[in-house]
Amino acid sequence: MFANSAGGYPGFGQPAVDPQVQQWFQAVDKDRSGQINWQELQAALINGQGQNFSTTACKLMIGMFDTDKTGTIDINEFQLLYGYINQWLTVFRNYDRDSSGSIEEPELGQAFQQMGFRLSPEFVKFLIARSDMKDHKQMSVDQFIVTCVQIQRFTEAFRAKDTELKGVITLAFEEFLSIAINCSAE
């Protein structure tokens, strides 16, 4: 095996980089810096409506995998992001049954239910309306990823406070703000 572009050798601290991931990384890294920023990622990702992923989605995804907090990801971090995006795309495609490139309210409700969330139809409708500024009826894949990540982060924060597993927590206002800011940080 050869050294990967991050200088590591498989089995010696750095994971082997899949050749397909390396090819995608090189295609996305337009300035050839060896790092990808959210703008480069955004230029490379197209949602089901033929538009680039939102700024919010790209900043969120870079932030999730930017372990050294530089605002960019290297090839190893990109490999993790690549796997993550493909997992969410699989979930999205499973529920985009009409292959429209977006998920409508009933499909989103089913997806969340399958993921173990018991969300009311009113809340699912709220999520759709919040993500679809145009007609409040559908959610694109990038909006789906952002929504799922936000729900996952808030769920983890909630569970950390719900020590008795009652499904109810009491928070002081500043504690609530801390949780909200930490969960929404890009």
Side-chain angles (χ1 to χ4, degrees):
M1 290 219 155
F2 300 101
N4 66 29
S5 66
Y9 293 88
F12 296 97
Q14 294 289 338
V17 176
D18 181 296
Q20 183 180 12
V21 171
Q22 195 156 16
Q23 186 177 7
W24 275 104
F25 183 86
Q26 290 169 352
V28 174
D29 183 18
K30 294 294 185 194
D31 65 1
R32 302 290 177 242
S33 66
Q35 300 286 320
I36 293 175
N37 60 31
W38 71 264
Q39 295 97 332
E40 289 172 313
L41 184 64
Q42 184 178 41
L45 296 175
I46 306 294
N47 68 25
Q49 284 80 39
Q51 301 166 339
N52 288 89
F53 271 38
S54 69
T55 299
T56 301
C58 294
K59 285 181 176 181
L60 179 69
M61 290 187 290
I62 292 288
M64 288 175 65
F65 294 95
D66 178 16
T67 57
D68 54 3
K69 305 300 179 207
T70 60
T72 61
I73 56 174
D74 64 22
I75 192 160
N76 292 303
E77 293 164 327
F78 180 77
Q79 181 164 262
L80 296 172
L81 173 61
Y82 182 84
Y84 179 83
I85 290 172
N86 282 322
Q87 287 174 344
W88 283 117
L89 284 173
T90 299
V91 172
F92 184 86
R93 287 181 184 131
N94 285 339
Y95 291 97
D96 180 19
R97 293 188 179 98
D98 60 0
S99 299
S100 66
S102 63
I103 292 181
E104 287 77 27
E105 204 175 305
E107 295 167 326
L108 182 62
Q110 291 170 356
F112 280 125
Q113 186 175 5
Q114 198 74 3
M115 288 185 261
F117 293 102
R118 289 183 227 135
L119 304 176
S120 70
E122 293 77 26
F123 189 73
V124 172
K125 186 175 195 147
F126 162 76
L127 292 173
I128 294 278
R130 183 178 166 267
S131 70
D132 184 11
M133 297 301 155
K134 191 171 136 191
D135 60 12
H136 306 296
K137 294 184 179 181
Q138 59 190 358
M139 184 179 284
S140 65
V141 68
D142 55 321
Q143 295 162 335
F144 176 74
I145 291 171
V146 168
T147 301
C148 289
V149 168
Q150 289 172 334
I151 288 174
Q152 181 181 355
R153 284 183 173 177
F154 278 107
T155 299
E156 289 166 3
F158 184 91
R159 285 184 180 149
K161 298 289 182 184
D162 186 17
T163 56
E164 297 176 18
L165 302 175
K166 291 183 176 182
V168 176
I169 60 174
T170 303
L171 298 173
F173 181 63
E174 286 184 2
E175 200 173 10
F176 165 75
L177 288 176
S178 295
I179 291 170
I181 291 169
N182 281 330
C183 289
S184 300
E186 297 176 337

